[in-house]
Amino acid sequence: MRALVGTDKGGGHMGSAGRLQRVCLVAVVLFVVAFLCGTGFAADTEQTGERALLAKYGEIKSKLDKNQFGAPIFLESKEGHDSVRVDMYGVFHFPFETVRDALQSPSAWCEITPLHINIKACIYRKVKQNAQLTLYSGRKYFQPPSDAYPLKLAFKVAASQPQYLELNLVGDEGPLGTKDHRIGVQAVPLGGQGTFLHFSYTYSHGTMARMAIKTYFATLGRDKVGFTMVGEDGKQEYIEGVRGAVERNTMRYYLALQTYLETLKYPEKERFEQRLSRWYDLTAKYPRQLKEIDKPAYLNNKRLERAQQEALQSKEGN
């Protein structure tokens, strides 16, 4: 940060106009990256449905059984000229009925998404016959929602059947030319008491966002990596750049889903604190990618943000 806003190339102190310009550049870069790492979701046309998901399970079962995550998780990502997509697949050891009934409620998603370090608040409201979520995305430290970016997402239960669940969260526009923000969730029951779940996370970005992202990953974010290994045999390294960022972001949401389901067993008044602690502990298993702040700071920030979220939600009357 100091290198960006301190002095010019000649070593002399910049004038006030130059300092202001660089401060504004840093602010824009951090804002875009915080938004994309907290909420950015662009859609691909793909085969969906119960049969397609079960076929995918058969295809990747061996990779779910043994992988770098030490958990039944499979991740794949791809990056285009103006979009990034990450797909995560995993096995949850809960009955399908539990998963289906828990996740199809918009209020549940306002318990799930704020576990993410960049989500400052989530509120839900009814819009005609549908529901709408507003996610307030900011930096990793405490921020009131008024200082964060609000992204409105239409929440739709596309299918809720005895053997299949499909949810879509869709936002048309975000900041600085981002668009087509989407989250997708599909789930099917497995034999016994398990559920196979697919979580997709995508967004598209324009020229301004692409420039801001490039600047960030060339400076402040140059040491950040994702989970995919790239390169030749013997010289493989973790993916960097925006693709790595979206992989980290997707993992944080996936672990929030897991946390939410695991903590349903607690009395309702205990769940919030249990969720904070459990989510942090799950992310701590991947320190190279997901470590941002210490646990006490995370817990304190989220307690403050929870109070802000409850105040916002009360104004909606839900």
Side-chain angles (χ1 to χ4, degrees), residues 1 3-4 213-225 239-241 248 288:
M1 179 74 76
L4 288 175
I213 294 166
K214 184 177 180 179
T215 300
Y216 174 78
F217 287 114
T219 54
L220 302 177
R222 60 183 175 273
D223 295 326
K224 294 182 176 293
V225 299
I239 191 75
E240 299 176 342
R248 294 193 302 275
R288 179 71 178 89

mmCIF file of all heavy atoms in Angstrom, residues 1 3-4 213-225 239-241 248 288:
data_model
loop_
_atom_site.group_PDB
_atom_site.id
_atom_site.type_symbol
_atom_site.label_atom_id
_atom_site.label_comp_id
_atom_site.label_asym_id
_atom_site.label_seq_id
_atom_site.Cartn_x
_atom_site.Cartn_y
_atom_site.Cartn_z
ATOM 1 N N MET A 1 0.832 -1.204 0.000
ATOM 2 C CA MET A 1 0.000 0.000 0.000
ATOM 3 C C MET A 1 0.862 1.247 0.000
ATOM 4 O O MET A 1 0.652 2.157 -0.759
ATOM 5 C CB MET A 1 -0.926 0.002 1.228
ATOM 6 C CG MET A 1 -1.822 1.225 1.332
ATOM 7 S SD MET A 1 -3.148 1.180 0.141
ATOM 8 C CE MET A 1 -4.226 -0.014 0.908
ATOM 9 N N ALA A 3 3.841 1.625 -1.079
ATOM 10 C CA ALA A 3 4.525 1.788 -2.364
ATOM 11 C C ALA A 3 3.623 2.436 -3.395
ATOM 12 O O ALA A 3 4.091 3.107 -4.313
ATOM 13 C CB ALA A 3 5.005 0.431 -2.873
ATOM 14 N N LEU A 4 2.333 2.267 -3.262
ATOM 15 C CA LEU A 4 1.411 2.832 -4.241
ATOM 16 C C LEU A 4 1.089 4.285 -3.956
ATOM 17 O O LEU A 4 0.769 5.049 -4.864
ATOM 18 C CB LEU A 4 0.115 2.024 -4.254
ATOM 19 C CG LEU A 4 0.185 0.630 -4.879
ATOM 20 C CD1 LEU A 4 -1.147 -0.071 -4.708
ATOM 21 C CD2 LEU A 4 0.549 0.708 -6.350
ATOM 22 N N ILE A 213 -8.678 -5.641 -11.363
ATOM 23 C CA ILE A 213 -8.252 -6.969 -10.914
ATOM 24 C C ILE A 213 -6.784 -7.205 -11.276
ATOM 25 O O ILE A 213 -5.995 -7.689 -10.458
ATOM 26 C CB ILE A 213 -9.138 -8.061 -11.549
ATOM 27 C CG1 ILE A 213 -10.570 -7.953 -11.023
ATOM 28 C CG2 ILE A 213 -8.591 -9.448 -11.256
ATOM 29 C CD1 ILE A 213 -11.559 -8.758 -11.834
ATOM 30 N N LYS A 214 -6.411 -6.853 -12.517
ATOM 31 C CA LYS A 214 -5.027 -7.044 -12.964
ATOM 32 C C LYS A 214 -4.068 -6.255 -12.093
ATOM 33 O O LYS A 214 -2.988 -6.749 -11.706
ATOM 34 C CB LYS A 214 -4.905 -6.623 -14.430
ATOM 35 C CG LYS A 214 -3.523 -6.870 -15.016
ATOM 36 C CD LYS A 214 -3.493 -6.494 -16.499
ATOM 37 C CE LYS A 214 -2.107 -6.741 -17.088
ATOM 38 N NZ LYS A 214 -2.065 -6.393 -18.542
ATOM 39 N N THR A 215 -4.448 -5.029 -11.741
ATOM 40 C CA THR A 215 -3.606 -4.196 -10.883
ATOM 41 C C THR A 215 -3.448 -4.809 -9.502
ATOM 42 O O THR A 215 -2.344 -4.872 -8.954
ATOM 43 C CB THR A 215 -4.217 -2.789 -10.754
ATOM 44 O OG1 THR A 215 -4.307 -2.189 -12.046
ATOM 45 C CG2 THR A 215 -3.374 -1.907 -9.847
ATOM 46 N N TYR A 216 -4.545 -5.296 -8.955
ATOM 47 C CA TYR A 216 -4.505 -5.885 -7.615
ATOM 48 C C TYR A 216 -3.582 -7.097 -7.565
ATOM 49 O O TYR A 216 -2.732 -7.221 -6.675
ATOM 50 C CB TYR A 216 -5.918 -6.271 -7.171
ATOM 51 C CG TYR A 216 -5.941 -7.023 -5.855
ATOM 52 C CD1 TYR A 216 -5.806 -6.340 -4.654
ATOM 53 C CD2 TYR A 216 -6.099 -8.403 -5.821
ATOM 54 C CE1 TYR A 216 -5.820 -7.019 -3.436
ATOM 55 C CE2 TYR A 216 -6.108 -9.092 -4.615
ATOM 56 C CZ TYR A 216 -5.979 -8.390 -3.428
ATOM 57 O OH TYR A 216 -5.980 -9.070 -2.237
ATOM 58 N N PHE A 217 -3.722 -8.008 -8.515
ATOM 59 C CA PHE A 217 -2.944 -9.241 -8.465
ATOM 60 C C PHE A 217 -1.488 -9.040 -8.892
ATOM 61 O O PHE A 217 -0.664 -9.934 -8.712
ATOM 62 C CB PHE A 217 -3.614 -10.331 -9.294
ATOM 63 C CG PHE A 217 -4.845 -10.871 -8.634
ATOM 64 C CD1 PHE A 217 -6.095 -10.677 -9.198
ATOM 65 C CD2 PHE A 217 -4.766 -11.543 -7.425
ATOM 66 C CE1 PHE A 217 -7.237 -11.155 -8.575
ATOM 67 C CE2 PHE A 217 -5.898 -12.020 -6.792
ATOM 68 C CZ PHE A 217 -7.141 -11.828 -7.373
ATOM 69 N N ALA A 218 -1.177 -7.869 -9.432
ATOM 70 C CA ALA A 218 0.219 -7.540 -9.714
ATOM 71 C C ALA A 218 0.886 -6.861 -8.526
ATOM 72 O O ALA A 218 2.107 -6.714 -8.497
ATOM 73 C CB ALA A 218 0.305 -6.631 -10.937
ATOM 74 N N THR A 219 0.077 -6.477 -7.515
ATOM 75 C CA THR A 219 0.620 -5.726 -6.372
ATOM 76 C C THR A 219 0.199 -6.371 -5.052
ATOM 77 O O THR A 219 0.835 -7.290 -4.568
ATOM 78 C CB THR A 219 0.153 -4.264 -6.442
ATOM 79 O OG1 THR A 219 -1.288 -4.218 -6.542
ATOM 80 C CG2 THR A 219 0.741 -3.558 -7.651
ATOM 81 N N LEU A 220 -0.884 -5.903 -4.498
ATOM 82 C CA LEU A 220 -1.294 -6.338 -3.162
ATOM 83 C C LEU A 220 -1.653 -7.814 -3.096
ATOM 84 O O LEU A 220 -1.452 -8.465 -2.068
ATOM 85 C CB LEU A 220 -2.492 -5.500 -2.687
ATOM 86 C CG LEU A 220 -2.266 -3.983 -2.629
ATOM 87 C CD1 LEU A 220 -3.547 -3.278 -2.219
ATOM 88 C CD2 LEU A 220 -1.131 -3.639 -1.688
ATOM 89 N N GLY A 221 -2.178 -8.366 -4.193
ATOM 90 C CA GLY A 221 -2.626 -9.756 -4.165
ATOM 91 C C GLY A 221 -1.698 -10.731 -4.850
ATOM 92 O O GLY A 221 -2.098 -11.848 -5.188
ATOM 93 N N ARG A 222 -0.440 -10.349 -5.030
ATOM 94 C CA ARG A 222 0.472 -11.185 -5.830
ATOM 95 C C ARG A 222 0.817 -12.515 -5.156
ATOM 96 O O ARG A 222 1.262 -13.449 -5.825
ATOM 97 C CB ARG A 222 1.748 -10.424 -6.155
ATOM 98 C CG ARG A 222 2.545 -9.967 -4.944
ATOM 99 C CD ARG A 222 3.753 -9.154 -5.393
ATOM 100 N NE ARG A 222 4.489 -8.594 -4.257
ATOM 101 C CZ ARG A 222 4.207 -7.427 -3.692
ATOM 102 N NH1 ARG A 222 3.199 -6.699 -4.169
ATOM 103 N NH2 ARG A 222 4.902 -6.974 -2.668
ATOM 104 N N ASP A 223 0.647 -12.627 -3.842
ATOM 105 C CA ASP A 223 0.989 -13.876 -3.147
ATOM 106 C C ASP A 223 -0.213 -14.789 -2.916
ATOM 107 O O ASP A 223 -0.074 -15.862 -2.334
ATOM 108 C CB ASP A 223 1.636 -13.557 -1.786
ATOM 109 C CG ASP A 223 2.977 -12.850 -1.952
ATOM 110 O OD1 ASP A 223 3.677 -13.149 -2.930
ATOM 111 O OD2 ASP A 223 3.300 -11.990 -1.113
ATOM 112 N N LYS A 224 -1.386 -14.385 -3.368
ATOM 113 C CA LYS A 224 -2.593 -15.161 -3.111
ATOM 114 C C LYS A 224 -2.770 -16.249 -4.179
ATOM 115 O O LYS A 224 -2.527 -16.003 -5.360
ATOM 116 C CB LYS A 224 -3.824 -14.255 -3.060
ATOM 117 C CG LYS A 224 -3.808 -13.292 -1.872
ATOM 118 C CD LYS A 224 -5.058 -12.455 -1.826
ATOM 119 C CE LYS A 224 -5.087 -11.559 -0.599
ATOM 120 N NZ LYS A 224 -5.215 -12.344 0.642
ATOM 121 N N VAL A 225 -3.222 -17.423 -3.750
ATOM 122 C CA VAL A 225 -3.374 -18.552 -4.674
ATOM 123 C C VAL A 225 -4.701 -19.253 -4.434
ATOM 124 O O VAL A 225 -5.350 -19.066 -3.400
ATOM 125 C CB VAL A 225 -2.223 -19.573 -4.504
ATOM 126 C CG1 VAL A 225 -0.882 -18.926 -4.812
ATOM 127 C CG2 VAL A 225 -2.219 -20.175 -3.093
ATOM 128 N N ILE A 239 -2.783 -22.204 -8.738
ATOM 129 C CA ILE A 239 -3.271 -21.173 -9.636
ATOM 130 C C ILE A 239 -3.311 -19.829 -8.925
ATOM 131 O O ILE A 239 -3.642 -19.744 -7.735
ATOM 132 C CB ILE A 239 -4.678 -21.539 -10.188
ATOM 133 C CG1 ILE A 239 -5.087 -20.602 -11.322
ATOM 134 C CG2 ILE A 239 -5.718 -21.529 -9.088
ATOM 135 C CD1 ILE A 239 -4.378 -20.880 -12.602
ATOM 136 N N GLU A 240 -2.960 -18.770 -9.650
ATOM 137 C CA GLU A 240 -2.968 -17.428 -9.081
ATOM 138 C C GLU A 240 -4.026 -16.578 -9.778
ATOM 139 O O GLU A 240 -4.860 -17.084 -10.522
ATOM 140 C CB GLU A 240 -1.579 -16.799 -9.232
ATOM 141 C CG GLU A 240 -0.473 -17.556 -8.509
ATOM 142 C CD GLU A 240 0.903 -16.967 -8.757
ATOM 143 O OE1 GLU A 240 1.048 -16.201 -9.748
ATOM 144 O OE2 GLU A 240 1.836 -17.278 -7.986
ATOM 145 N N GLY A 241 -4.001 -15.286 -9.539
ATOM 146 C CA GLY A 241 -4.864 -14.350 -10.234
ATOM 147 C C GLY A 241 -6.334 -14.489 -9.898
ATOM 148 O O GLY A 241 -6.712 -15.020 -8.857
ATOM 149 N N ARG A 248 -10.943 -19.541 -4.121
ATOM 150 C CA ARG A 248 -10.952 -19.301 -2.673
ATOM 151 C C ARG A 248 -12.342 -18.894 -2.202
ATOM 152 O O ARG A 248 -12.838 -19.353 -1.169
ATOM 153 C CB ARG A 248 -9.945 -18.198 -2.309
ATOM 154 C CG ARG A 248 -8.501 -18.563 -2.551
ATOM 155 C CD ARG A 248 -7.559 -17.570 -1.876
ATOM 156 N NE ARG A 248 -7.752 -16.201 -2.320
ATOM 157 C CZ ARG A 248 -7.184 -15.677 -3.407
ATOM 158 N NH1 ARG A 248 -6.418 -16.426 -4.185
ATOM 159 N NH2 ARG A 248 -7.391 -14.413 -3.722
ATOM 160 N N ARG A 288 -2.945 -21.745 3.465
ATOM 161 C CA ARG A 288 -2.268 -21.133 2.310
ATOM 162 C C ARG A 288 -3.239 -20.324 1.480
ATOM 163 O O ARG A 288 -2.896 -19.267 0.939
ATOM 164 C CB ARG A 288 -1.630 -22.244 1.450
ATOM 165 C CG ARG A 288 -0.909 -21.725 0.189
ATOM 166 C CD ARG A 288 0.374 -21.003 0.558
ATOM 167 N NE ARG A 288 1.093 -20.556 -0.617
ATOM 168 C CZ ARG A 288 0.903 -19.379 -1.209
ATOM 169 N NH1 ARG A 288 -0.002 -18.532 -0.726
ATOM 170 N NH2 ARG A 288 1.601 -19.027 -2.263
#
